[in-house]
Structure formats: structure tokens, C-alpha cells
Coordinates of all heavy atoms in Angstrom, one line a residue:
H327 N 60.7 -10.8 -137.2 CA 60.2 -12.2 -136.9 C 61.1 -13.2 -137.5 O 61.3 -14.3 -137.0 CB 58.7 -12.4 -137.3 CG 58.5 -12.3 -138.7 ND1 58.5 -11.1 -139.4 CD2 58.2 -13.3 -139.6 CE1 58.2 -11.3 -140.7 NE2 58.0 -12.6 -140.8
R328 N 61.6 -13.0 -138.7 CA 62.5 -13.9 -139.4 C 63.8 -14.1 -138.6 O 64.4 -15.2 -138.5 CB 62.8 -13.5 -140.8 CG 61.6 -13.6 -141.7 CD 62.0 -13.3 -143.2 NE 60.8 -13.4 -144.1 CZ 60.1 -12.4 -144.4 NH1 60.3 -11.2 -143.9 NH2 59.0 -12.6 -145.2
L329 N 64.3 -13.0 -138.1 CA 65.6 -13.0 -137.2 C 65.3 -13.9 -136.0 O 66.1 -14.7 -135.6 CB 66.0 -11.6 -136.9 CG 67.2 -11.5 -135.9 CD1 68.4 -12.1 -136.6 CD2 67.4 -10.0 -135.5
L330 N 64.2 -13.6 -135.4 CA 63.9 -14.4 -134.1 C 63.7 -15.9 -134.5 O 64.1 -16.8 -133.7 CB 62.6 -13.8 -133.5 CG 62.8 -12.5 -132.8 CD1 61.5 -12.0 -132.2 CD2 63.9 -12.6 -131.7
D331 N 63.0 -16.2 -135.6 CA 62.9 -17.6 -136.0 C 64.2 -18.3 -136.1 O 64.4 -19.4 -135.8 CB 62.2 -17.6 -137.4 CG 60.7 -17.4 -137.3 OD1 60.2 -17.5 -136.2 OD2 60.1 -17.1 -138.3
A332 N 65.2 -17.5 -136.6 CA 66.5 -18.1 -136.8 C 67.3 -18.3 -135.5 O 68.1 -19.2 -135.3 CB 67.4 -17.3 -137.7
I333 N 67.0 -17.4 -134.5 CA 67.8 -17.4 -133.2 C 67.1 -18.3 -132.2 O 67.8 -19.1 -131.5 CB 67.9 -16.0 -132.7 CG1 68.7 -15.1 -133.7 CG2 68.6 -16.0 -131.3 CD1 68.9 -13.7 -133.3
F334 N 65.8 -18.2 -132.0 CA 65.1 -18.8 -131.0 C 64.1 -19.9 -131.5 O 63.3 -19.6 -132.4 CB 64.2 -17.8 -130.2 CG 65.1 -16.7 -129.5 CD1 65.0 -15.4 -129.9 CD2 65.9 -17.1 -128.4 CE1 65.8 -14.5 -129.2 CE2 66.6 -16.1 -127.8 CZ 66.6 -14.8 -128.2
P335 N 64.1 -21.0 -130.9 CA 63.0 -22.0 -131.1 C 61.7 -21.3 -130.7 O 61.7 -20.4 -129.8 CB 63.3 -23.2 -130.3 CG 64.7 -23.0 -130.0 CD 65.0 -21.6 -129.9
L336 N 60.5 -21.7 -131.3 CA 59.2 -21.1 -131.0 C 59.0 -21.1 -129.5 O 58.5 -20.1 -129.0 CB 58.1 -21.9 -131.7 CG 56.7 -21.4 -131.5 CD1 56.6 -20.0 -132.1 CD2 55.7 -22.3 -132.2
Q337 N 59.3 -22.2 -128.8 CA 58.9 -22.2 -127.3 C 59.7 -21.3 -126.5 O 59.4 -21.0 -125.3 CB 59.0 -23.7 -126.8 CG 60.5 -24.2 -126.8 CD 60.8 -24.9 -128.1 OE1 60.1 -24.6 -129.1 NE2 61.7 -25.9 -128.1
L338 N 60.9 -20.7 -127.0 CA 61.7 -19.8 -126.2 C 61.5 -18.4 -126.6 O 62.0 -17.5 -125.9 CB 63.2 -20.2 -126.5 CG 63.7 -21.5 -126.0 CD1 65.2 -21.7 -126.2 CD2 63.4 -21.7 -124.5
R339 N 60.7 -18.1 -127.6 CA 60.5 -16.7 -128.1 C 59.8 -15.9 -127.0 O 60.1 -14.7 -126.9 CB 59.7 -16.7 -129.4 CG 60.7 -16.6 -130.6 CD 59.9 -16.3 -131.8 NE 59.7 -17.5 -132.6 CZ 58.7 -17.6 -133.5 NH1 57.9 -16.7 -133.7 NH2 58.6 -18.8 -134.1
A340 N 58.9 -16.5 -126.3 CA 58.2 -15.7 -125.2 C 59.2 -15.2 -124.2 O 59.0 -14.1 -123.7 CB 57.2 -16.6 -124.5
Q341 N 60.2 -15.9 -123.9 CA 61.2 -15.5 -122.9 C 62.0 -14.2 -123.5 O 62.4 -13.4 -122.7 CB 62.2 -16.6 -122.7 CG 61.6 -17.9 -122.1 CD 60.8 -17.6 -120.8 OE1 61.3 -16.8 -120.0 NE2 59.6 -18.2 -120.7
F342 N 62.2 -14.1 -124.8 CA 62.8 -13.0 -125.3 C 62.1 -11.7 -124.9 O 62.7 -10.7 -124.5 CB 62.9 -13.1 -126.9 CG 63.4 -11.9 -127.6 CD1 64.7 -11.6 -127.8 CD2 62.5 -11.0 -128.1 CE1 65.1 -10.5 -128.4 CE2 62.9 -9.8 -128.7 CZ 64.2 -9.6 -128.9
W343 N 60.8 -11.7 -125.1 CA 60.0 -10.5 -124.8 C 59.9 -10.2 -123.3 O 59.8 -9.1 -122.9 CB 58.6 -10.7 -125.4 CG 58.6 -10.8 -126.8 CD1 58.6 -11.9 -127.6 CD2 58.8 -9.7 -127.8 NE1 58.7 -11.6 -128.9 CE2 58.9 -10.2 -129.1 CE3 58.9 -8.3 -127.6 CZ2 59.0 -9.5 -130.2 CZ3 59.0 -7.5 -128.8 CH2 59.1 -8.1 -130.0
R344 N 60.2 -11.2 -122.5 CA 60.2 -11.0 -121.0 C 61.4 -10.2 -120.6 O 61.5 -9.6 -119.5 CB 60.1 -12.3 -120.3 CG 58.8 -13.0 -120.5 CD 58.9 -14.5 -120.0 NE 59.2 -14.6 -118.6 CZ 58.4 -14.6 -117.6 NH1 57.1 -14.5 -117.9 NH2 58.7 -14.7 -116.4
L345 N 62.5 -10.3 -121.4 CA 63.7 -9.6 -121.1 C 63.8 -8.2 -121.4 O 64.6 -7.4 -121.0 CB 64.9 -10.3 -121.8 CG 65.1 -11.8 -121.4 CD1 66.2 -12.4 -122.3 CD2 65.4 -12.0 -119.9
L346 N 62.8 -7.7 -122.3 CA 62.8 -6.3 -122.7 C 62.3 -5.5 -121.5 O 61.2 -5.7 -121.0 CB 61.8 -6.1 -123.9 CG 62.2 -6.8 -125.2 CD1 61.2 -6.5 -126.2 CD2 63.6 -6.4 -125.6
S347 N 63.1 -4.6 -121.1 CA 62.7 -3.7 -119.9 C 63.1 -2.3 -120.2 O 64.1 -2.0 -120.8 CB 63.5 -4.3 -118.6 OG 63.1 -3.5 -117.5
T348 N 62.3 -1.4 -119.6 CA 62.6 0.0 -119.8 C 62.4 0.7 -118.4 O 61.8 0.1 -117.5 CB 61.6 0.7 -120.8 OG1 60.3 0.6 -120.2 CG2 61.7 0.0 -122.1
P349 N 62.9 1.9 -118.2 CA 62.7 2.5 -116.9 C 61.2 2.7 -116.6 O 60.8 2.5 -115.4 CB 63.4 3.9 -117.1 CG 64.5 3.6 -118.1 CD 63.9 2.6 -119.0
A350 N 60.4 3.0 -117.6 CA 59.0 3.1 -117.3 C 58.4 1.8 -116.8 O 57.5 1.8 -115.9 CB 58.2 3.6 -118.6
R351 N 58.8 0.7 -117.4 CA 58.3 -0.6 -117.0 C 58.7 -0.9 -115.5 O 57.9 -1.4 -114.7 CB 58.8 -1.7 -117.9 CG 58.2 -1.8 -119.3 CD 58.8 -2.9 -120.1 NE 58.3 -2.9 -121.5 CZ 57.1 -3.5 -121.8 NH1 56.5 -4.2 -120.9 NH2 56.7 -3.5 -123.1
R352 N 59.9 -0.6 -115.2 CA 60.4 -0.8 -113.9 C 59.7 0.1 -112.9 O 59.4 -0.4 -111.7 CB 61.9 -0.6 -113.8 CG 62.7 -1.7 -114.6 CD 64.2 -1.6 -114.3 NE 64.8 -0.4 -114.8 CZ 65.3 -0.3 -116.1 NH1 65.3 -1.4 -116.9 NH2 65.9 0.8 -116.5
R353 N 59.4 1.3 -113.3 CA 58.6 2.2 -112.4 C 57.2 1.6 -112.2 O 56.7 1.7 -111.0 CB 58.5 3.6 -113.0 CG 59.7 4.4 -112.9 CD 59.5 5.9 -113.1 NE 59.0 6.1 -114.5 CZ 59.8 6.3 -115.5 NH1 61.1 6.4 -115.4 NH2 59.3 6.5 -116.7
F354 N 56.6 1.0 -113.2 CA 55.3 0.4 -113.1 C 55.3 -0.8 -112.1 O 54.5 -1.0 -111.3 CB 54.8 0.0 -114.5 CG 53.4 -0.7 -114.4 CD1 52.3 0.1 -114.2 CD2 53.3 -2.0 -114.6 CE1 51.0 -0.5 -114.2 CE2 52.0 -2.6 -114.6 CZ 50.9 -1.9 -114.4
Q355 N 56.4 -1.6 -112.2 CA 56.5 -2.7 -111.3 C 56.6 -2.3 -109.9 O 56.0 -2.9 -109.0 CB 57.8 -3.5 -111.7 CG 57.6 -4.3 -113.0 CD 58.9 -4.9 -113.5 OE1 60.0 -4.3 -113.5 NE2 58.9 -6.2 -113.9
R356 N 57.4 -1.2 -109.7 CA 57.5 -0.7 -108.3 C 56.2 -0.1 -107.8 O 55.8 -0.3 -106.6 CB 58.6 0.4 -108.2 CG 60.0 -0.1 -108.4 CD 61.0 1.0 -108.0 NE 61.0 2.1 -108.9 CZ 61.7 2.2 -110.0 NH1 62.5 1.3 -110.3 NH2 61.6 3.3 -110.7
H357 N 55.4 0.5 -108.7 CA 54.0 1.0 -108.3 C 53.1 -0.2 -107.9 O 52.4 -0.1 -106.9 CB 53.4 1.7 -109.5 CG 51.9 1.9 -109.4 ND1 51.4 2.8 -108.4 CD2 50.9 1.3 -110.0 CE1 50.1 2.7 -108.5 NE2 49.7 1.9 -109.5

């Protein structure tokens, strides 16, 4: 969280987590 505080303003941190993707997530999206 300290690293993210330094990189992203609070209002942009949600976007960081939206970028995390895995094959399982993509399979769920296709489902």
C-alpha cells in the first residue's frame, strides 16, 4: 500500500486493480 500511495493518487488506485488479469478471470468473463 505504501508503494501504491507513492505511485498512484487515491482516486486512480481503483484503476490499478482493474488492470490485474489472469487466465482464470478471462475464462470467467467468457462464461
Side-chain angles (χ1 to χ4, degrees):
H327 65 286
R328 291 189 178 90
L329 176 62
L330 289 176
D331 283 344
I333 298 176
F334 296 113
L336 182 63
Q337 64 268 27
L338 295 182
R339 266 191 257 159
Q341 300 302 318
F342 171 86
W343 295 97
R344 294 165 61 86
L345 297 176
L346 297 180
S347 183
T348 65
R351 288 179 183 274
R352 291 192 290 272
R353 285 195 297 271
F354 181 72
Q355 288 173 316
R356 290 194 294 271
H357 165 70

